[in-house]
Amino acid sequence: MTPGRWVLLIVTVLMLIFLLLNLYYRSTQQDIWKQEREAEQVAAQAAGLVHITSATKHVWNQIAWIVQGTDESGEDKMVWVVGDKADSVLSSSGISKDQITEKVLASKPDADIIRVQPGLLDGEKIWEVFYKRNETTEKYYYEFYKFSDGSFITIYNLPSKFSDGTE
């Protein structure tokens, strides 16, 4: 085979691999994308959203989608969607993501915040803060705060592999 044919063969094989990986990725994500679209439709109908900025899936003791967007009058809203039921509130009626982040860092300055997201805990609108701290070992924590006023609800720590301090 000539060098030109080798290049053509290698490019064809690489494109085929890329195509197969793309098809695999799309097939694995298809159900999640469908759930997200359905949650966005429920939220748009319930809250009159005309522009959706984000949709976040939160799984704790129930599955909820939190859809953020703006309505016809330009007001920012957050809509908690569970199944085909939606509960909409103005974003300004609760504490913001940045305020929760500042609150956690004020009480735990050594915390390395990994994620802050809205969610539902026992049917209550919350902010979930997932972070790690380097104590005797690296430990991970979930803290929950009320969306309405930012008051602390509860904390869960994940046991570390070496939680007894041994290595």
Side-chain angles (χ1 to χ4, degrees):
M1 281 185 36
T2 64
R5 288 186 183 202
W6 275 109
V7 169
L8 182 62
L9 178 65
I10 290 171
V11 168
T12 303
V13 168
L14 288 175
M15 287 178 58
L16 183 61
I17 290 171
F18 176 75
L19 176 67
L20 292 174
L21 288 173
N22 188 4
L23 289 172
Y24 174 74
Y25 175 75
R26 291 174 62 81
S27 70
T28 58
Q29 296 297 313
Q30 188 172 355
D31 289 339
I32 294 170
W33 292 337
K34 181 181 177 199
Q35 292 172 10
E36 183 176 357
R37 281 192 308 274
E38 290 171 354
E40 288 175 351
Q41 289 173 349
V42 169
Q45 285 181 335
L49 298 180
V50 293
H51 179 69
I52 294 174
T53 55
S54 70
T56 306
K57 184 177 184 178
H58 183 260
V59 179
W60 198 259
N61 52 5
Q62 64 183 335
I63 297 173
W65 283 89
I66 298 80
V67 180
Q68 299 179 31
T70 55
D71 62 10
E72 310 86 31
S73 62
E75 292 185 299
D76 290 329
K77 288 189 173 181
M78 294 180 73
V79 185
W80 277 259
V81 179
V82 178
D84 60 350
K85 297 180 177 143
D87 187 13
S88 167
V89 297
L90 292 173
S91 296
S92 60
S93 69
I95 193 164
S96 73
K97 181 178 182 177
D98 292 336
Q99 290 171 313
I100 285 294
T101 302
E102 290 172 13
K103 183 174 186 166
V104 171
L105 290 175
S107 64
K108 299 164 189 72
D110 63 328
D112 181 14
I113 296 179
I114 298 167
R115 180 182 65 239
V116 178
Q117 71 178 27
L120 275 180
L121 181 66
D122 298 326
E124 183 173 7
K125 296 174 192 70
I126 55 101
W127 283 107
E128 172 192 287
V129 182
F130 179 55
Y131 63 92
K132 68 179 179 178
R133 293 176 79 181
N134 286 320
E135 295 166 344
T136 56
T137 60
E138 193 171 78
K139 291 186 181 179
Y140 292 84
Y141 298 89
Y142 282 97
E143 281 191 11
F144 297 94
Y145 296 87
K146 289 183 182 180
F147 172 79
S148 58
D149 61 4
S151 59
F152 176 78
I153 298 174
T154 190
I155 185 172
Y156 294 99
N157 65 328
L158 301 178
S160 68
K161 184 177 179 182
F162 306 111
S163 61
D164 61 353
T166 63
E167 295 189 71

